[in-house]
Amino acid sequence: MANDFSQVEAFAGLDEAGLQALQDATEPIAVKGGDYLVRYGEEADTLYLVSTGRFYVQLSNGRVVAEIGAGEPVGELAFFSGGVRTADVRASRDSTVYRLTRAAYDSVVSTYPGIADSILSTVSARLAIATRSARAMEAKPGKVVALIPAAGAPLPEGFAERLCAALARYDEPRMVTVADKPDGVSADSEGFGRWLGELERSARRTILVAGGDEQWDRAIARNSDDLIIVAPLFEEECGRSDLEDYAIPLFLRANRTLLLWREHERQEIVGSGRWLDSRNVKLHHHVPLDSDAAFARVGRFLAGRANGVVLAGGGALGCAHVGVMQALLENDIPIDFYGGTSAGAAMGGALAQGLTPEQTIEQMQDMFIVKKAMKRVTVPVHSILDPRVFDEQLELRYSNKDIADLPYNFFGVSTNLSTNSVYVHRRGPLWHAVRASGSLPTILPPFITKEGDILVDGGVLDNIPVMIMREAKAGPNVVVSLRSDAGEEWRLDTKYSSLRSRGKLLADIIFRRKPKHDFPSIVEIMSRSMVVSSASVVRDSLSQADVLLLPPIPETMKILDWHLGRDLSETARTYTTQRIIEHEALAEMKDAGSA
């Protein structure tokens, strides 16, 4: 016990006598996984120290803001301020804590006043950190993971072993099954928790595999940080099993993952939603059993090494995204998660479907140059452009396939005018997400969801959604920013007096004459206005990039210049290839199996 206290920063300076006094003043208590240690609004008359296990701190609005592990105190801020608890603290697995009441604290401090000084110094430091931090926690993989089957179906033969082997390319996992449990140790006993604690200290990551023994299966669920549910995609019965009913409520949504397996990669992915609807997981992954690459991808997610790309909006300038992604893939840097706004959502969504970069560029060329998807002007009541050809092309090429059925993880970002907030597309038809994310205000009509929400271009609020990606997964993110995001000043060599009259505009349109003076167009003004409105978000997003890429874009290129898209893509590919050579962080993102 004294040794436990010596590992706590607040008590690190105490001598043996002080540590022994603390030991005598505390009482050990066991907390089952899923149980609350502290509840919001309770009187803060007790200080706790975590000996084994893990807890999370959740605000009254449901946001999780911290995790607390072995050797860390719980509730010290409210304890010393004399107030009430400001958050819930819940065990994420079976844990042991030591309880120090206020009366016991007062007694021991009267003899060893240095204890109070040490604790209060740490409290002050924590309070300063808490004051500076306003965001929810970024994604972080758990050290102990429970692997259980869905709907009572067995795990495929060798599945757990292949998963651990994939994780071993990036981490040092240890797989534990019911056969490894020591004789005489009951899964419901405190000794079981101590045994698992010893296993946790002996490996960087521990995978606890369900084995059909109810006591064991429930115990590993209570003693894990993360829950992985393994489901057969095409199995007709997809209802939750008794084990799932027990395990799922023990975990926050952020700590639940679903793996949907199928026999062959060539099989079309359909029906993912029926598995997702009743399990409310944060992420799901498709794992064909004949694909080592799919297992490697899941291994990166489990290790906190999944590679993301975050792609900015910018119309035709977004063709640079395709060249960037082509260079990454050609240089053995796998992309595990695609996310973007507007053109970034379109390009990322295409590759998340499984298209190659070349197919993506060909698709864009055909849509905007051959089919002239954004060339038809309409009566300017809802928008300037008639979206019908554009919508037809999007539905043809992106289809009504549910985003959940894509082989790679993807999100697109829109702006919700109904709620004045960012709207993140993770489910529903892919073409709806691409259409909504690219609904440039006044240029195209907004997209209306089945719930009646009015969605416009995501660039209005978040043109580079890095934080959405960081909250979704752990691991490095490549951020691709386009010229309009760089924050450079925009000036033209023209005068206000050069603004054309209605007659002159009509004549120039009829005779296809180019104006002498380059006065800003509606499209340019709207595009630039969106960047201005989200400028502070853009600056913050760029600072959050693990790797920031700024592919060179011709100064004269505009957001509807799709005819320049292929050349821009090739320029971006060359630029990125050179950056991979020069940038150490990019080199570290390479597939461990191909290094």
Side-chain angles (χ1 to χ4, degrees):
M1 167 62 186
N3 183 57
D4 286 330
F5 276 176
S6 69
Q7 303 303 310
V8 182
E9 182 182 355
F11 308 140
L14 296 179
D15 57 21
E16 287 294 328
L19 291 171
Q20 186 62 48
L22 278 174
Q23 176 181 356
D24 296 339
T26 57
E27 173 192 8
I29 59 173
V31 185
K32 288 287 188 184
D35 288 352
Y36 288 91
L37 177 65
V38 164
R39 296 305 301 261
Y40 172 81
E42 291 179 341
E43 184 180 354
D45 57 358
T46 307
L47 175 68
Y48 299 95
L49 171 74
V50 180
S51 175
T52 63
R54 188 169 296 273
F55 294 81
Y56 61 83
V57 181
Q58 189 170 28
L59 301 182
S60 57
N61 62 6
R63 189 176 69 177
V64 176
V65 294
E67 286 185 332
I68 302 173
E72 295 185 83
V74 177
E76 73 279 15
L77 293 176
F79 181 81
F80 289 107
S81 67
V84 297
R85 304 298 188 188
T86 58
D88 292 332
V89 179
R90 190 180 186 188
S92 59
R93 48 185 158 113
D94 286 359
S95 306
T96 303
V97 300
Y98 295 101
R99 177 168 58 193
L100 181 65
T101 64
R102 188 172 300 282
Y105 170 80
D106 291 340
S107 175
V108 74
V109 166
S110 65
T111 306
Y112 296 94
I115 292 176
D117 293 338
S118 296
I119 295 177
L120 289 174
S121 175
T122 300
V123 168
S124 297
R126 270 202 180 190
L127 184 59
I129 294 172
T131 301
R132 292 194 300 266
S133 176
R135 289 195 176 107
M137 288 196 311
E138 294 179 5
K140 183 172 70 172
K143 290 190 64 178
V144 181
V145 179
L147 186 69
I148 70 171
L155 296 177
E157 184 177 354
F159 191 91
E161 289 80 359
R162 290 184 69 184
L163 204 59
C164 285
L167 178 57
R169 298 166 68 177
Y170 310 96
D171 210 336
E172 298 173 7
R174 177 170 183 169
M175 189 179 83
V176 181
T177 69
V178 64
D180 298 308
K181 182 175 69 67
D183 294 336
V185 175
S186 168
D188 282 334
S189 68
E190 190 174 334
F192 185 80
R194 286 196 298 270
W195 171 64
L196 286 182
E198 293 172 2
L199 290 179
E200 182 180 356
R201 287 188 286 273
S202 68
R204 289 184 58 182
R205 199 67 48 85
T206 304
I207 310 296
L208 305 175
V209 184
D213 180 293
E214 181 179 3
Q215 191 180 61
W216 165 267
D217 293 348
R218 292 191 171 208
I220 66 172
R222 290 196 313 272
N223 284 278
S224 296
D225 303 317
D226 292 342
L227 178 67
I228 297 179
I229 306 168
V230 182
L233 176 62
F234 298 124
E235 183 68 31
E236 184 175 343
E237 174 54 52
C238 63
R240 281 173 30 171
S241 66
D242 290 342
L243 175 58
E244 289 180 280
D245 284 340
Y246 175 81
I248 288 173
L250 297 176
F251 296 84
L252 293 169
R253 179 177 181 272
N255 301 117
R256 303 179 203 143
T257 297
L258 177 66
L259 303 184
L260 291 165
W261 65 269
R262 62 193 194 278
E263 289 288 346
H264 305 291
E265 190 169 19
R266 66 174 181 270
Q267 292 174 292
E268 182 182 2
I269 302 171
V270 292
S272 305
R274 63 195 184 96
W275 291 97
L276 293 168
D277 290 340
S278 63
R279 290 168 176 85
N280 193 24
V281 297
K282 182 180 183 180
L283 289 177
H284 71 283
H285 309 292
H286 291 284
V287 187
L289 299 184
D290 61 350
S291 172
D292 290 336
F295 277 92
R297 182 166 62 251
V298 175
R300 287 189 290 275
F301 275 96
L302 295 183
R305 293 278 303 276
N307 297 331
V309 291
V310 181
L311 309 172
L317 308 186
C319 291
H321 295 321
V322 181
V324 168
M325 292 186 286
Q326 182 176 2
L328 296 178
L329 297 173
E330 287 176 347
N331 287 274
D332 298 318
I333 298 177
I335 302 172
D336 303 311
F337 207 136
Y338 298 86
T341 297
S342 195
M347 305 304 176
L351 271 78
Q353 289 183 96
L355 296 185
T356 66
E358 177 59 28
Q359 288 171 329
T360 301
I361 279 292
E362 288 179 357
Q363 174 172 279
M364 297 302 161
Q365 297 270 301
D366 193 51
M367 283 179 60
F368 294 107
I369 298 175
V370 179
K371 301 298 190 302
K372 300 180 180 180
M374 293 186 72
K375 291 290 188 180
R376 295 184 62 177
V377 178
T378 188
V379 178
V381 174
H382 307 296
S383 63
I384 293 172
L385 296 181
D386 182 340
R388 283 179 296 178
V389 175
F390 184 45
D391 289 354
E392 289 169 2
Q393 288 295 310
L394 288 180
E395 185 172 7
L396 172 66
R397 299 171 188 284
Y398 289 92
S399 82
N400 282 288
K401 177 183 283 289
D402 188 349
I403 292 172
D405 288 330
L406 298 180
Y408 298 90
N409 273 279
F410 165 81
F411 72 82
V413 171
S414 298
T415 298
N416 191 331
L417 297 184
S418 300
T419 60
N420 300 321
S421 63
V422 170
Y423 187 103
V424 182
H425 300 264
R426 292 285 284 132
R427 292 287 302 274
L430 178 60
W431 89 265
H432 286 187
V434 175
R435 172 64 175 82
S437 186
S439 297
L440 195 66
T442 74
I443 307 303
L444 288 168
F447 187 84
I448 313 296
T449 70
K450 62 181 180 181
E451 294 80 17
D453 287 334
I454 303 167
L455 307 182
V456 297
D457 197 295
V460 173
L461 287 182
D462 194 353
N463 203 41
I464 309 179
V466 182
M467 287 312 301
I468 294 173
M469 181 68 83
R470 293 183 78 91
E471 290 174 10
K473 68 155 192 71
N477 297 307
V478 174
V479 176
V480 187
S481 178
L482 305 176
R483 187 183 64 215
S484 56
D485 301 310
E488 79 280 6
E489 295 180 349
W490 185 39
R491 288 190 171 86
L492 296 176
D493 186 19
T494 189
K495 303 296 182 184
Y496 179 71
S497 57
S498 66
L499 183 62
R500 291 173 286 173
S501 66
R502 289 184 298 173
K504 186 73 165 66
L505 280 169
L506 184 59
D508 286 347
I509 291 172
I510 292 174
F511 295 106
R512 298 185 179 181
R513 293 190 301 224
K514 188 175 181 180
K516 293 180 180 179
H517 302 283
D518 192 17
F519 205 90
S521 69
I522 291 176
V523 174
E524 291 171 319
I525 294 167
M526 180 52 62
S527 176
R528 188 71 187 194
S529 296
M530 290 196 309
V531 173
V532 171
S533 65
S534 62
S536 61
V537 177
V538 167
R539 285 192 294 269
D540 186 49
S541 296
L542 295 180
S543 71
Q544 297 294 324
D546 297 291
V547 177
L548 176 60
L549 297 179
L550 300 166
I553 296 172
E555 292 184 7
T556 56
M557 186 174 179
K558 299 177 181 178
I559 66 171
L560 294 182
D561 286 345
W562 293 99
H563 61 286
L564 302 177
R566 185 177 291 277
D567 289 342
L568 177 58
S569 176
E570 180 58 28
T571 298
R573 187 191 70 81
T574 303
Y575 160 84
T576 305
T577 300
Q578 185 60 37
R579 291 286 286 147
I580 292 170
I581 297 172
E582 301 169 348
H583 204 300
E584 183 177 347
L586 273 171
E588 291 175 353
M589 293 172 67
K590 289 193 175 187
D591 183 7
S594 63

